[in-house]
Amino acid sequence: MFTIKNIEKSFGDFKALNNVNATFEKGKTTVIIGSSGSGKSTLLRCLNLLEVPDFGEISYDNETLTFSKEHKLKTNKKLELRRRTGMIFQSFNLFPHLTVEENIKEGIITVQKRNKIMAQQAAIAHLEMVGLVDQKDKYPHQLSGGQQQRVAIARGMALKPDVLLYDEPTSALDPELVGEVLNVIKDLAKTGITQIIVTHEMKFAQEVADHVLFMDKGEIVDQGNPSELFNHSNNPRLKQFLNRINH
Ligand SMILES: Nc1ncnc2c1ncn2[C@@H]1O[C@H](COP(=O)(O)OP(=O)(O)OP(=O)(O)O)[C@@H](O)[C@H]1O
Ligand SMILES: [Mg+2]
């Protein structure tokens, strides 16, 4: 379980996150929705310290990291949290000069310090999960965007993080490729992995989420299970957002 408390993050004078509190349950899928600029990516990046919060706390297992301007986080703590999180980006971010299999093996060898044979076995096993074993010797540019994103997910999973973070995993894809990536994420949700997903795909959000967070102007202004949030919320800002998306 991940818990964040009173997270704040500013860029210059602009407060991108303001007093953000949330709990991400183990084995559950949380979806973060909200309009452009509401702070979704910033929150996700704070969870694996690609951005370091100005204030607040991040807790996982028995560990609590406390942030403040005065107190500088130790590098080993930062690396520890990063190791526990896997990030899937909009633009896949595969290594272009490595094959599909090598892309997955790389982190297993360098981060997990496992030998080449074990890395290869893990790579194949994770490619099987996303249905791409037959593509293992290709380079990223020889794959469709949907296939590249599935490789990126396999690569993230192979490092056995406590939580997988996705920042708009399908928004760079042609519409006909979105479904195959969403299906992989839905299948993973059933395996008991913890996932946090920023997405504009509302139908997918309703289907996959155990819990939904709605962000507006740097704050979480509503949250609940999909049915509560999408069908029964009285929050005017959420209603306005959903209306805008639906039309
Ligand atoms: N590195 C940065 N420097 C300055 N401002 C930033 C930086 N990162 C984010 N911001 C600002 O913080 C706000 C929140 O940005 P963020 O990327 O978190 O929004 P978002 O909800 O992910 O939006 P989108 O749906 O468009 O991806 C925006 O106003 C953005 O311009
Ligand atoms: Mg974003």
Side-chain angles (χ1 to χ4, degrees), residues 40-42 90 167-168 198:
K40 305 179 300 295
S41 296
T42 305
Q90 195 174 353
D167 196 356
E168 299 195 30
V198 171

Side-chain angles (χ1 to χ4, degrees), residues 31-34 168-170 182 197-202 204-205:
V31 169
I32 305 176
I33 60 171
E168 299 195 30
T170 60
L182 297 183
I197 307 169
V198 171
T199 184
H200 288 287
E201 300 279 343
M202 292 302 136
F204 165 70

Side-chain angles (χ1 to χ4, degrees), residues 10-12 14-17 34-43 45 51 90 167-168 198 200 215:
S10 295
F11 298 106
F14 178 77
K15 207 169 227 183
L17 294 178
S35 35
S36 183
S38 58
K40 305 179 300 295
S41 296
T42 305
L43 176 57
R45 293 166 65 82
E51 300 286 357
Q90 195 174 353
D167 196 356
E168 299 195 30
V198 171
H200 288 287
M215 293 189 69

Side-chain angles (χ1 to χ4, degrees), residues 17-117:
L17 294 178
N18 186 19
N19 191 29
V20 174
N21 295 278
T23 296
F24 303 97
E25 301 276 352
K26 226 179 209 145
K28 303 285 181 188
T29 295
T30 303
V31 169
I32 305 176
I33 60 171
S35 35
S36 183
S38 58
K40 305 179 300 295
S41 296
T42 305
L43 176 57
L44 213 59
R45 293 166 65 82
C46 280
L47 285 172
N48 79 344
L49 300 181
L50 281 175
E51 300 286 357
V52 179
D54 299 330
F55 295 100
E57 284 178 15
I58 300 179
S59 304
Y60 55 92
D61 294 346
N62 299 321
E63 191 81 58
T64 294
L65 306 183
T66 305
F67 304 93
S68 73
K69 288 263 186 213
E70 299 75 40
H71 164 242
K72 201 148 166 43
L73 195 67
K74 291 200 182 79
T75 312
N76 64 336
K77 294 281 176 202
K78 213 176 189 170
L79 291 175
E80 165 74 10
L81 182 56
R82 201 161 288 163
R83 201 179 54 72
R84 285 165 173 269
T85 58
M87 181 78 123
I88 313 292
F89 298 93
Q90 195 174 353
S91 50
F92 329 134
N93 291 17
L94 297 175
F95 302 116
H97 59 291
L98 298 181
T99 65
V100 163
E101 183 181 322
E102 288 163 353
N103 259 281
I104 300 179
K105 278 181 357 192
E106 209 269 346
I108 302 175
I109 293 167
T110 58
V111 181
Q112 296 191 323
K113 314 279 182 218
R114 290 207 269 159
N115 68 39
K116 287 193 178 150
I117 293 170

